[in-house]
Short mmCIF file of all heavy atoms in Angstrom, two decimals:
data_model
loop_
_atom_site.label_atom_id
_atom_site.label_comp_id
_atom_site.label_asym_id
_atom_site.label_seq_id
_atom_site.Cartn_x
_atom_site.Cartn_y
_atom_site.Cartn_z
N MET A 1 -9.37 9.05 -14.76
CA MET A 1 -8.48 7.93 -14.63
C MET A 1 -8.96 7.04 -13.49
O MET A 1 -9.29 7.52 -12.41
CB MET A 1 -7.05 8.42 -14.34
CG MET A 1 -6.15 7.31 -13.95
SD MET A 1 -4.42 7.62 -13.57
CE MET A 1 -4.26 9.27 -13.10
N ALA A 2 -9.00 5.73 -13.70
CA ALA A 2 -9.38 4.78 -12.67
C ALA A 2 -8.27 4.71 -11.63
O ALA A 2 -7.09 4.74 -11.96
CB ALA A 2 -9.60 3.40 -13.29
N SER A 3 -8.67 4.62 -10.36
CA SER A 3 -7.65 4.64 -9.31
C SER A 3 -7.93 3.61 -8.23
O SER A 3 -9.00 3.01 -8.17
CB SER A 3 -7.59 6.03 -8.68
OG SER A 3 -8.79 6.34 -8.03
N VAL A 4 -6.91 3.41 -7.39
CA VAL A 4 -7.03 2.61 -6.16
C VAL A 4 -6.65 3.53 -5.01
O VAL A 4 -5.92 4.50 -5.19
CB VAL A 4 -6.15 1.35 -6.18
CG1 VAL A 4 -6.54 0.41 -7.29
CG2 VAL A 4 -4.68 1.70 -6.29
N THR A 5 -7.16 3.22 -3.84
CA THR A 5 -6.86 3.99 -2.64
C THR A 5 -5.89 3.21 -1.78
O THR A 5 -6.06 2.00 -1.58
CB THR A 5 -8.14 4.27 -1.83
OG1 THR A 5 -9.05 5.00 -2.67
CG2 THR A 5 -7.87 5.05 -0.57
N ILE A 6 -4.86 3.88 -1.28
CA ILE A 6 -3.91 3.28 -0.36
C ILE A 6 -4.16 3.88 1.00
O ILE A 6 -4.16 5.11 1.15
CB ILE A 6 -2.44 3.55 -0.79
CG1 ILE A 6 -2.18 3.00 -2.18
CG2 ILE A 6 -1.47 2.93 0.21
CD1 ILE A 6 -1.93 4.06 -3.18
N ARG A 7 -4.41 3.02 2.00
CA ARG A 7 -4.62 3.49 3.37
C ARG A 7 -3.45 3.00 4.22
O ARG A 7 -3.09 1.83 4.18
CB ARG A 7 -5.93 2.96 3.94
CG ARG A 7 -7.13 3.44 3.17
CD ARG A 7 -8.43 3.13 3.83
NE ARG A 7 -8.56 1.70 4.18
CZ ARG A 7 -9.64 1.17 4.72
NH1 ARG A 7 -10.68 1.93 4.99
NH2 ARG A 7 -9.69 -0.12 5.00
N TYR A 8 -2.88 3.93 4.98
CA TYR A 8 -1.73 3.62 5.83
C TYR A 8 -2.17 3.52 7.28
O TYR A 8 -2.96 4.33 7.75
CB TYR A 8 -0.69 4.74 5.72
CG TYR A 8 -0.13 4.92 4.34
CD1 TYR A 8 -0.52 5.99 3.55
CD2 TYR A 8 0.79 4.02 3.83
CE1 TYR A 8 0.01 6.17 2.28
CE2 TYR A 8 1.32 4.20 2.55
CZ TYR A 8 0.92 5.27 1.79
OH TYR A 8 1.44 5.45 0.54
N PHE A 9 -1.61 2.56 8.00
CA PHE A 9 -1.92 2.36 9.40
C PHE A 9 -0.65 2.41 10.23
O PHE A 9 0.42 2.02 9.77
CB PHE A 9 -2.65 1.02 9.60
CG PHE A 9 -4.01 1.00 8.97
CD1 PHE A 9 -4.17 0.63 7.65
CD2 PHE A 9 -5.13 1.39 9.69
CE1 PHE A 9 -5.42 0.63 7.04
CE2 PHE A 9 -6.38 1.41 9.09
CZ PHE A 9 -6.53 1.02 7.77
N ALA A 10 -0.80 2.90 11.47
CA ALA A 10 0.26 2.93 12.48
C ALA A 10 1.55 3.53 11.93
O ALA A 10 1.54 4.66 11.43
CB ALA A 10 0.47 1.53 13.05
N GLY A 11 2.67 2.79 12.00
CA GLY A 11 3.97 3.29 11.57
C GLY A 11 4.01 3.64 10.09
O GLY A 11 4.78 4.51 9.67
N ALA A 12 3.21 2.98 9.28
CA ALA A 12 3.16 3.31 7.85
C ALA A 12 2.57 4.70 7.65
O ALA A 12 3.04 5.46 6.80
CB ALA A 12 2.34 2.26 7.08
N ARG A 13 1.58 5.03 8.44
CA ARG A 13 0.97 6.37 8.37
C ARG A 13 1.99 7.44 8.74
O ARG A 13 2.13 8.46 8.07
CB ARG A 13 -0.24 6.46 9.29
CG ARG A 13 -0.89 7.83 9.29
CD ARG A 13 -2.05 7.90 10.24
NE ARG A 13 -3.12 7.07 9.69
CZ ARG A 13 -4.29 6.89 10.25
NH1 ARG A 13 -4.58 7.47 11.40
NH2 ARG A 13 -5.20 6.14 9.71
N ALA A 14 2.74 7.20 9.79
CA ALA A 14 3.77 8.16 10.22
C ALA A 14 4.86 8.29 9.15
O ALA A 14 5.31 9.39 8.84
CB ALA A 14 4.37 7.72 11.54
N ALA A 15 5.28 7.18 8.58
CA ALA A 15 6.36 7.20 7.58
C ALA A 15 5.92 7.88 6.28
O ALA A 15 6.71 8.57 5.63
CB ALA A 15 6.84 5.78 7.30
N ALA A 16 4.66 7.68 5.89
CA ALA A 16 4.15 8.29 4.65
C ALA A 16 3.75 9.76 4.87
O ALA A 16 3.66 10.52 3.91
CB ALA A 16 2.95 7.52 4.12
N GLY A 17 3.49 10.11 6.12
CA GLY A 17 3.07 11.47 6.41
C GLY A 17 1.64 11.77 6.03
O GLY A 17 1.25 12.92 5.88
N ARG A 18 0.84 10.74 5.89
CA ARG A 18 -0.57 10.89 5.53
C ARG A 18 -1.32 9.60 5.85
O ARG A 18 -0.71 8.55 5.99
CB ARG A 18 -0.72 11.23 4.06
CG ARG A 18 -0.25 10.11 3.13
CD ARG A 18 -0.08 10.52 1.70
NE ARG A 18 1.05 11.40 1.62
CZ ARG A 18 1.14 12.44 0.79
NH1 ARG A 18 0.19 12.69 -0.06
NH2 ARG A 18 2.20 13.22 0.78
N ALA A 19 -2.63 9.69 5.93
CA ALA A 19 -3.46 8.53 6.23
C ALA A 19 -3.81 7.74 4.98
O ALA A 19 -3.97 6.52 5.03
CB ALA A 19 -4.73 8.96 6.95
N GLU A 20 -3.94 8.43 3.84
CA GLU A 20 -4.26 7.74 2.59
C GLU A 20 -3.90 8.59 1.39
O GLU A 20 -3.67 9.79 1.51
CB GLU A 20 -5.72 7.31 2.54
CG GLU A 20 -6.74 8.38 2.37
CD GLU A 20 -8.15 7.82 2.26
OE1 GLU A 20 -8.55 7.00 3.10
OE2 GLU A 20 -8.85 8.22 1.31
N GLU A 21 -3.84 7.92 0.26
CA GLU A 21 -3.61 8.58 -1.02
C GLU A 21 -4.10 7.64 -2.12
O GLU A 21 -4.50 6.52 -1.85
CB GLU A 21 -2.14 8.93 -1.21
CG GLU A 21 -1.18 7.75 -1.23
CD GLU A 21 0.26 8.20 -1.28
OE1 GLU A 21 0.60 9.02 -2.14
OE2 GLU A 21 1.05 7.72 -0.45
N SER A 22 -4.07 8.12 -3.35
CA SER A 22 -4.55 7.34 -4.49
C SER A 22 -3.45 7.18 -5.52
O SER A 22 -2.51 7.97 -5.58
CB SER A 22 -5.74 8.02 -5.15
OG SER A 22 -6.82 8.09 -4.26
N THR A 23 -3.62 6.15 -6.35
CA THR A 23 -2.73 5.93 -7.49
C THR A 23 -3.53 5.22 -8.58
O THR A 23 -4.66 4.79 -8.33
CB THR A 23 -1.48 5.12 -7.08
OG1 THR A 23 -0.52 5.16 -8.14
CG2 THR A 23 -1.81 3.68 -6.74
N ALA A 24 -2.95 5.09 -9.74
CA ALA A 24 -3.65 4.49 -10.88
C ALA A 24 -3.92 3.00 -10.66
O ALA A 24 -3.09 2.29 -10.11
CB ALA A 24 -2.83 4.68 -12.15
N ALA A 25 -5.08 2.56 -11.11
CA ALA A 25 -5.45 1.14 -11.05
C ALA A 25 -4.83 0.40 -12.23
O ALA A 25 -4.23 1.02 -13.12
CB ALA A 25 -6.97 1.01 -11.10
N GLY A 26 -4.98 -0.92 -12.23
CA GLY A 26 -4.53 -1.74 -13.36
C GLY A 26 -3.09 -2.21 -13.26
O GLY A 26 -2.63 -2.95 -14.11
N ARG A 27 -2.40 -1.78 -12.22
CA ARG A 27 -1.03 -2.23 -12.01
C ARG A 27 -1.00 -3.21 -10.85
O ARG A 27 -1.95 -3.31 -10.09
CB ARG A 27 -0.12 -1.03 -11.72
CG ARG A 27 -0.10 -0.06 -12.91
CD ARG A 27 0.65 1.22 -12.65
NE ARG A 27 0.10 1.90 -11.48
CZ ARG A 27 0.85 2.43 -10.51
NH1 ARG A 27 2.15 2.38 -10.56
NH2 ARG A 27 0.28 3.04 -9.49
N SER A 28 0.12 -3.91 -10.70
CA SER A 28 0.23 -4.89 -9.62
C SER A 28 0.57 -4.22 -8.30
O SER A 28 1.01 -3.07 -8.26
CB SER A 28 1.32 -5.91 -9.96
OG SER A 28 2.60 -5.31 -9.87
N LEU A 29 0.38 -4.96 -7.21
CA LEU A 29 0.76 -4.46 -5.90
C LEU A 29 2.25 -4.15 -5.86
O LEU A 29 2.66 -3.13 -5.31
CB LEU A 29 0.39 -5.46 -4.81
CG LEU A 29 0.80 -5.06 -3.39
CD1 LEU A 29 0.14 -3.76 -2.97
CD2 LEU A 29 0.47 -6.17 -2.41
N ASP A 30 3.08 -5.01 -6.45
CA ASP A 30 4.52 -4.75 -6.48
C ASP A 30 4.82 -3.43 -7.19
O ASP A 30 5.68 -2.67 -6.75
CB ASP A 30 5.28 -5.89 -7.15
CG ASP A 30 5.47 -7.08 -6.23
OD1 ASP A 30 5.34 -6.93 -4.99
OD2 ASP A 30 5.78 -8.18 -6.75
N ASP A 31 4.10 -3.13 -8.27
CA ASP A 31 4.29 -1.86 -8.98
C ASP A 31 3.90 -0.68 -8.10
O ASP A 31 4.59 0.35 -8.07
CB ASP A 31 3.47 -1.82 -10.28
CG ASP A 31 3.96 -2.79 -11.32
OD1 ASP A 31 5.14 -3.18 -11.29
OD2 ASP A 31 3.13 -3.17 -12.19
N VAL A 32 2.80 -0.80 -7.39
CA VAL A 32 2.33 0.28 -6.53
C VAL A 32 3.31 0.49 -5.38
O VAL A 32 3.65 1.63 -5.04
CB VAL A 32 0.90 0.00 -6.00
CG1 VAL A 32 0.50 1.00 -4.93
CG2 VAL A 32 -0.09 0.02 -7.16
N VAL A 33 3.79 -0.60 -4.78
CA VAL A 33 4.75 -0.47 -3.67
C VAL A 33 6.03 0.22 -4.15
O VAL A 33 6.57 1.09 -3.46
CB VAL A 33 5.04 -1.85 -3.05
CG1 VAL A 33 6.24 -1.79 -2.10
CG2 VAL A 33 3.81 -2.37 -2.32
N ALA A 34 6.49 -0.12 -5.35
CA ALA A 34 7.68 0.54 -5.90
C ALA A 34 7.43 2.04 -6.10
O ALA A 34 8.29 2.87 -5.81
CB ALA A 34 8.09 -0.12 -7.21
N GLU A 35 6.24 2.38 -6.58
CA GLU A 35 5.89 3.80 -6.76
C GLU A 35 5.87 4.53 -5.43
O GLU A 35 6.39 5.65 -5.31
CB GLU A 35 4.53 3.93 -7.43
CG GLU A 35 4.06 5.37 -7.54
CD GLU A 35 2.60 5.52 -7.91
OE1 GLU A 35 2.02 4.59 -8.50
OE2 GLU A 35 2.04 6.58 -7.60
N LEU A 36 5.28 3.90 -4.41
CA LEU A 36 5.21 4.54 -3.10
C LEU A 36 6.60 4.72 -2.50
O LEU A 36 6.88 5.76 -1.90
CB LEU A 36 4.33 3.71 -2.16
CG LEU A 36 2.87 3.57 -2.57
CD1 LEU A 36 2.15 2.60 -1.65
CD2 LEU A 36 2.18 4.91 -2.63
N ALA A 37 7.47 3.75 -2.69
CA ALA A 37 8.84 3.85 -2.20
C ALA A 37 9.55 5.02 -2.87
O ALA A 37 10.25 5.80 -2.21
CB ALA A 37 9.58 2.55 -2.44
N GLU A 38 9.36 5.15 -4.17
CA GLU A 38 9.99 6.26 -4.90
C GLU A 38 9.39 7.60 -4.49
O GLU A 38 10.10 8.59 -4.33
CB GLU A 38 9.81 6.04 -6.40
CG GLU A 38 10.52 7.09 -7.24
CD GLU A 38 10.38 6.80 -8.72
OE1 GLU A 38 10.58 5.65 -9.13
OE2 GLU A 38 10.07 7.75 -9.47
N ARG A 39 8.09 7.62 -4.30
CA ARG A 39 7.39 8.86 -3.97
C ARG A 39 7.77 9.39 -2.57
O ARG A 39 7.95 10.58 -2.38
CB ARG A 39 5.88 8.62 -4.03
CG ARG A 39 5.04 9.85 -3.82
CD ARG A 39 3.56 9.55 -3.81
NE ARG A 39 3.10 9.02 -5.08
CZ ARG A 39 1.84 8.64 -5.31
NH1 ARG A 39 0.93 8.72 -4.37
NH2 ARG A 39 1.49 8.17 -6.49
N HIS A 40 7.87 8.46 -1.60
CA HIS A 40 8.07 8.88 -0.21
C HIS A 40 9.47 8.61 0.34
O HIS A 40 9.88 9.24 1.30
CB HIS A 40 7.04 8.21 0.70
CG HIS A 40 5.64 8.60 0.37
ND1 HIS A 40 5.12 9.86 0.64
CD2 HIS A 40 4.64 7.93 -0.24
CE1 HIS A 40 3.87 9.92 0.23
NE2 HIS A 40 3.55 8.76 -0.31
N GLY A 41 10.17 7.62 -0.22
CA GLY A 41 11.54 7.33 0.17
C GLY A 41 11.73 6.85 1.60
O GLY A 41 10.80 6.43 2.27
N GLY A 42 12.97 6.92 2.04
CA GLY A 42 13.46 6.64 3.39
C GLY A 42 12.65 5.77 4.31
O GLY A 42 12.66 4.55 4.19
N ARG A 43 12.00 6.40 5.27
CA ARG A 43 11.29 5.66 6.32
C ARG A 43 10.21 4.75 5.75
O ARG A 43 10.03 3.63 6.22
CB ARG A 43 10.67 6.62 7.32
CG ARG A 43 11.70 7.30 8.21
CD ARG A 43 11.09 8.27 9.20
NE ARG A 43 9.96 7.72 9.93
CZ ARG A 43 9.00 8.46 10.47
NH1 ARG A 43 9.02 9.78 10.35
NH2 ARG A 43 8.00 7.90 11.11
N LEU A 44 9.49 5.21 4.74
CA LEU A 44 8.41 4.38 4.21
C LEU A 44 8.97 3.14 3.52
O LEU A 44 8.38 2.07 3.62
CB LEU A 44 7.50 5.16 3.26
CG LEU A 44 6.26 4.38 2.81
CD1 LEU A 44 5.39 3.95 3.99
CD2 LEU A 44 5.43 5.18 1.83
N VAL A 45 10.09 3.24 2.86
CA VAL A 45 10.72 2.07 2.23
C VAL A 45 10.95 0.99 3.27
O VAL A 45 10.63 -0.19 3.05
CB VAL A 45 12.04 2.46 1.52
CG1 VAL A 45 12.80 1.23 1.07
CG2 VAL A 45 11.77 3.37 0.34
N SER A 46 11.48 1.37 4.43
CA SER A 46 11.74 0.41 5.50
C SER A 46 10.44 -0.22 6.01
O SER A 46 10.38 -1.43 6.27
CB SER A 46 12.46 1.09 6.66
OG SER A 46 13.71 1.58 6.24
N VAL A 47 9.41 0.57 6.15
CA VAL A 47 8.13 0.07 6.64
C VAL A 47 7.48 -0.86 5.61
O VAL A 47 6.96 -1.93 5.96
CB VAL A 47 7.18 1.23 7.01
CG1 VAL A 47 5.78 0.72 7.35
CG2 VAL A 47 7.75 2.04 8.17
N LEU A 48 7.50 -0.47 4.34
CA LEU A 48 6.90 -1.31 3.29
C LEU A 48 7.56 -2.68 3.22
O LEU A 48 6.90 -3.68 2.92
CB LEU A 48 7.00 -0.61 1.93
CG LEU A 48 6.16 0.66 1.77
CD1 LEU A 48 6.51 1.36 0.46
CD2 LEU A 48 4.68 0.36 1.84
N ALA A 49 8.86 -2.75 3.50
CA ALA A 49 9.59 -4.01 3.42
C ALA A 49 9.10 -5.05 4.42
O ALA A 49 9.24 -6.26 4.19
CB ALA A 49 11.08 -3.76 3.61
N VAL A 50 8.49 -4.60 5.51
CA VAL A 50 8.04 -5.54 6.55
C VAL A 50 6.52 -5.54 6.72
O VAL A 50 5.99 -6.19 7.62
CB VAL A 50 8.73 -5.25 7.90
CG1 VAL A 50 10.23 -5.48 7.80
CG2 VAL A 50 8.43 -3.84 8.39
N SER A 51 5.82 -4.83 5.87
CA SER A 51 4.36 -4.70 5.99
C SER A 51 3.61 -5.84 5.32
O SER A 51 4.12 -6.50 4.42
CB SER A 51 3.90 -3.38 5.36
OG SER A 51 4.33 -2.29 6.12
N SER A 52 2.38 -6.02 5.79
CA SER A 52 1.41 -6.89 5.12
C SER A 52 0.46 -5.99 4.35
O SER A 52 0.28 -4.82 4.71
CB SER A 52 0.61 -7.69 6.14
OG SER A 52 1.46 -8.53 6.88
N PHE A 53 -0.16 -6.54 3.32
CA PHE A 53 -1.05 -5.75 2.48
C PHE A 53 -2.39 -6.47 2.32
O PHE A 53 -2.42 -7.67 2.03
CB PHE A 53 -0.43 -5.53 1.10
CG PHE A 53 0.89 -4.82 1.16
CD1 PHE A 53 2.07 -5.52 1.25
CD2 PHE A 53 0.93 -3.43 1.14
CE1 PHE A 53 3.29 -4.87 1.32
CE2 PHE A 53 2.15 -2.77 1.21
CZ PHE A 53 3.33 -3.49 1.31
N LEU A 54 -3.46 -5.73 2.53
CA LEU A 54 -4.80 -6.24 2.28
C LEU A 54 -5.35 -5.52 1.06
O LEU A 54 -5.18 -4.31 0.92
CB LEU A 54 -5.73 -5.98 3.46
CG LEU A 54 -5.34 -6.54 4.82
CD1 LEU A 54 -6.39 -6.15 5.86
CD2 LEU A 54 -5.16 -8.03 4.77
N ILE A 55 -6.00 -6.28 0.19
CA ILE A 55 -6.69 -5.70 -0.96
C ILE A 55 -8.17 -5.92 -0.71
O ILE A 55 -8.63 -7.05 -0.65
CB ILE A 55 -6.27 -6.37 -2.29
CG1 ILE A 55 -4.75 -6.41 -2.45
CG2 ILE A 55 -6.97 -5.68 -3.47
CD1 ILE A 55 -4.07 -5.07 -2.49
N ASP A 56 -8.89 -4.83 -0.54
CA ASP A 56 -10.32 -4.89 -0.21
C ASP A 56 -10.59 -5.83 0.97
O ASP A 56 -11.52 -6.63 0.96
CB ASP A 56 -11.14 -5.29 -1.44
CG ASP A 56 -11.12 -4.23 -2.51
OD1 ASP A 56 -10.97 -3.04 -2.18
OD2 ASP A 56 -11.26 -4.58 -3.70
N GLY A 57 -9.71 -5.74 1.99
CA GLY A 57 -9.90 -6.49 3.22
C GLY A 57 -9.39 -7.92 3.21
O GLY A 57 -9.54 -8.63 4.20
N VAL A 58 -8.79 -8.36 2.11
CA VAL A 58 -8.31 -9.74 1.98
C VAL A 58 -6.79 -9.73 1.80
O VAL A 58 -6.27 -8.93 1.00
CB VAL A 58 -8.98 -10.44 0.78
CG1 VAL A 58 -8.46 -11.85 0.60
CG2 VAL A 58 -10.49 -10.44 0.94
N THR A 59 -6.10 -10.62 2.52
CA THR A 59 -4.65 -10.71 2.39
C THR A 59 -4.26 -10.93 0.94
O THR A 59 -4.84 -11.78 0.25
CB THR A 59 -4.10 -11.87 3.25
OG1 THR A 59 -4.47 -11.65 4.60
CG2 THR A 59 -2.59 -11.96 3.14
N CYS A 60 -3.28 -10.19 0.48
CA CYS A 60 -2.82 -10.30 -0.91
C CYS A 60 -1.77 -11.40 -1.01
O CYS A 60 -0.71 -11.32 -0.39
CB CYS A 60 -2.23 -8.97 -1.37
SG CYS A 60 -1.65 -9.03 -3.06
N HIS A 61 -2.07 -12.43 -1.81
CA HIS A 61 -1.13 -13.53 -2.03
C HIS A 61 -0.48 -13.46 -3.40
O HIS A 61 0.55 -14.08 -3.63
CB HIS A 61 -1.83 -14.88 -1.86
CG HIS A 61 -2.32 -15.11 -0.46
ND1 HIS A 61 -1.48 -15.37 0.60
CD2 HIS A 61 -3.57 -15.10 0.05
CE1 HIS A 61 -2.18 -15.51 1.70
NE2 HIS A 61 -3.47 -15.35 1.39
N ASP A 62 -1.08 -12.75 -4.32
CA ASP A 62 -0.54 -12.62 -5.69
C ASP A 62 -0.20 -11.15 -5.92
O ASP A 62 -1.05 -10.36 -6.33
CB ASP A 62 -1.56 -13.12 -6.72
CG ASP A 62 -1.03 -13.05 -8.14
OD1 ASP A 62 0.11 -12.57 -8.36
OD2 ASP A 62 -1.77 -13.47 -9.06
N ARG A 63 1.05 -10.81 -5.68
CA ARG A 63 1.47 -9.41 -5.77
C ARG A 63 1.66 -8.95 -7.21
O ARG A 63 1.98 -7.80 -7.45
CB ARG A 63 2.75 -9.21 -4.96
CG ARG A 63 2.50 -9.40 -3.46
CD ARG A 63 3.77 -9.28 -2.67
NE ARG A 63 4.40 -8.00 -2.87
CZ ARG A 63 4.71 -7.14 -1.91
NH1 ARG A 63 4.43 -7.43 -0.66
NH2 ARG A 63 5.31 -6.01 -2.20
N GLN A 64 1.45 -9.85 -8.20
CA GLN A 64 1.59 -9.50 -9.61
C GLN A 64 0.24 -9.30 -10.30
O GLN A 64 0.19 -8.82 -11.43
CB GLN A 64 2.39 -10.57 -10.35
CG GLN A 64 3.84 -10.65 -9.91
CD GLN A 64 4.55 -9.32 -10.09
OE1 GLN A 64 4.51 -8.71 -11.16
NE2 GLN A 64 5.20 -8.84 -9.04
N LYS A 65 -0.84 -9.65 -9.64
CA LYS A 65 -2.18 -9.51 -10.22
C LYS A 65 -2.56 -8.03 -10.35
O LYS A 65 -2.38 -7.26 -9.40
CB LYS A 65 -3.18 -10.22 -9.31
CG LYS A 65 -4.59 -10.23 -9.83
CD LYS A 65 -5.49 -10.99 -8.89
CE LYS A 65 -6.92 -10.94 -9.36
NZ LYS A 65 -7.82 -11.66 -8.44
N PRO A 66 -3.09 -7.62 -11.49
CA PRO A 66 -3.51 -6.21 -11.64
C PRO A 66 -4.60 -5.85 -10.63
O PRO A 66 -5.53 -6.62 -10.39
CB PRO A 66 -4.05 -6.16 -13.07
CG PRO A 66 -3.40 -7.30 -13.78
CD PRO A 66 -3.25 -8.38 -12.73
N LEU A 67 -4.47 -4.67 -10.07
CA LEU A 67 -5.44 -4.19 -9.09
C LEU A 67 -6.62 -3.54 -9.80
O LEU A 67 -6.42 -2.70 -10.68
CB LEU A 67 -4.78 -3.17 -8.16
CG LEU A 67 -3.62 -3.73 -7.33
CD1 LEU A 67 -2.83 -2.59 -6.70
CD2 LEU A 67 -4.15 -4.67 -6.27
N PRO A 68 -7.83 -3.91 -9.44
CA PRO A 68 -9.00 -3.35 -10.11
C PRO A 68 -9.28 -1.91 -9.68
O PRO A 68 -8.93 -1.49 -8.58
CB PRO A 68 -10.14 -4.27 -9.67
CG PRO A 68 -9.70 -4.77 -8.33
CD PRO A 68 -8.20 -4.89 -8.41
N ALA A 69 -9.92 -1.16 -10.55
CA ALA A 69 -10.33 0.20 -10.22
C ALA A 69 -11.22 0.17 -8.99
O ALA A 69 -12.07 -0.72 -8.84
CB ALA A 69 -11.08 0.81 -11.40
N GLY A 70 -11.02 1.12 -8.12
CA GLY A 70 -11.83 1.22 -6.92
C GLY A 70 -11.35 0.38 -5.75
O GLY A 70 -11.92 0.45 -4.66
N ALA A 71 -10.30 -0.41 -5.94
CA ALA A 71 -9.79 -1.25 -4.86
C ALA A 71 -9.18 -0.38 -3.76
O ALA A 71 -8.77 0.75 -4.00
CB ALA A 71 -8.74 -2.22 -5.39
N THR A 72 -9.11 -0.95 -2.57
CA THR A 72 -8.46 -0.30 -1.44
C THR A 72 -7.33 -1.19 -0.96
O THR A 72 -7.53 -2.38 -0.70
CB THR A 72 -9.44 -0.06 -0.27
OG1 THR A 72 -10.48 0.80 -0.73
CG2 THR A 72 -8.74 0.56 0.92
N ILE A 73 -6.13 -0.61 -0.88
CA ILE A 73 -4.96 -1.31 -0.38
C ILE A 73 -4.71 -0.81 1.05
O ILE A 73 -4.55 0.39 1.25
CB ILE A 73 -3.71 -1.00 -1.23
CG1 ILE A 73 -3.94 -1.38 -2.67
CG2 ILE A 73 -2.48 -1.70 -0.65
CD1 ILE A 73 -2.86 -0.82 -3.61
N ASP A 74 -4.69 -1.73 2.01
CA ASP A 74 -4.35 -1.37 3.38
C ASP A 74 -2.91 -1.79 3.64
O ASP A 74 -2.55 -2.94 3.38
CB ASP A 74 -5.26 -2.07 4.37
CG ASP A 74 -6.70 -1.58 4.32
OD1 ASP A 74 -6.89 -0.39 3.98
OD2 ASP A 74 -7.61 -2.36 4.61
N VAL A 75 -2.09 -0.85 4.08
CA VAL A 75 -0.68 -1.11 4.41
C VAL A 75 -0.60 -1.30 5.91
O VAL A 75 -0.84 -0.35 6.68
CB VAL A 75 0.22 0.05 3.95
CG1 VAL A 75 1.68 -0.25 4.28
CG2 VAL A 75 0.03 0.31 2.46
N LEU A 76 -0.27 -2.53 6.34
CA LEU A 76 -0.26 -2.87 7.75
C LEU A 76 1.15 -3.25 8.21
O LEU A 76 1.60 -4.36 7.97
CB LEU A 76 -1.20 -4.06 8.00
CG LEU A 76 -2.64 -3.89 7.51
CD1 LEU A 76 -3.40 -5.19 7.63
CD2 LEU A 76 -3.33 -2.79 8.29
N PRO A 77 1.83 -2.34 8.88
CA PRO A 77 3.14 -2.68 9.41
C PRO A 77 2.96 -3.61 10.60
O PRO A 77 1.85 -3.74 11.14
CB PRO A 77 3.71 -1.32 9.83
CG PRO A 77 2.52 -0.50 10.14
CD PRO A 77 1.44 -0.97 9.20
N PRO A 78 4.04 -4.25 11.06
CA PRO A 78 3.92 -5.08 12.26
C PRO A 78 3.43 -4.23 13.43
O PRO A 78 3.85 -3.09 13.60
CB PRO A 78 5.36 -5.56 12.51
CG PRO A 78 6.04 -5.43 11.20
CD PRO A 78 5.39 -4.27 10.50
N PHE A 79 2.51 -4.78 14.20
CA PHE A 79 1.95 -4.08 15.34
C PHE A 79 2.53 -4.68 16.62
O PHE A 79 2.77 -5.87 16.69
CB PHE A 79 0.42 -4.22 15.39
CG PHE A 79 -0.28 -3.51 14.27
CD1 PHE A 79 -0.59 -4.16 13.09
CD2 PHE A 79 -0.62 -2.18 14.41
CE1 PHE A 79 -1.25 -3.50 12.07
CE2 PHE A 79 -1.28 -1.51 13.38
CZ PHE A 79 -1.58 -2.18 12.22
N ALA A 80 2.69 -3.87 17.63
CA ALA A 80 3.13 -4.35 18.94
C ALA A 80 1.94 -4.25 19.90
O ALA A 80 1.00 -3.52 19.66
CB ALA A 80 4.28 -3.49 19.45
N GLY A 81 2.02 -4.98 20.97
CA GLY A 81 0.96 -4.91 21.96
C GLY A 81 0.00 -6.05 21.84
O GLY A 81 0.21 -7.00 21.11
N GLY A 82 -1.10 -5.94 22.53
CA GLY A 82 -2.03 -7.05 22.47
C GLY A 82 -3.32 -6.78 23.08
O GLY A 82 -3.94 -5.92 23.39
#
């Protein structure tokens, strides 16, 4: 099965309880976020609501576009500090 990799950073990593995981390709970012919310619940749902998402290092502006096989999604919650 073709897949995409989800990488979690900072608070997203803590909320998901892991640094990365995989899911099926060919679905939209919104579909993947809904799956992750269902899979992990609670804290991650709150983090996903305020996070930014990069697809292969580029800010995602079209959350309905199908994700290609082999893509990497970076989940970036708001960061503090400087």
Side-chain angles (χ1 to χ4, degrees):
M1 170 180 23
S3 65
V4 298
T5 300
I6 301 113
R7 298 189 307 183
Y8 298 105
F9 294 87
R13 178 182 291 180
R18 65 193 70 215
E20 71 177 50
E21 62 186 308
S22 297
T23 192
R27 298 174 304 135
S28 71
L29 177 60
D30 281 342
D31 293 336
V32 171
V33 169
E35 175 193 338
L36 297 174
E38 184 177 314
R39 185 183 297 179
H40 297 288
R43 289 179 48 205
L44 187 59
V45 170
S46 298
V47 172
L48 292 172
V50 296
S51 291
S52 298
F53 300 91
L54 302 179
I55 309 298
D56 292 332
V58 178
T59 302
C60 180
H61 295 288
D62 182 357
R63 293 177 59 123
Q64 293 302 310
K65 183 178 177 181
L67 298 166
T72 299
I73 302 168
D74 292 330
V75 181
L76 305 172
F79 292 93

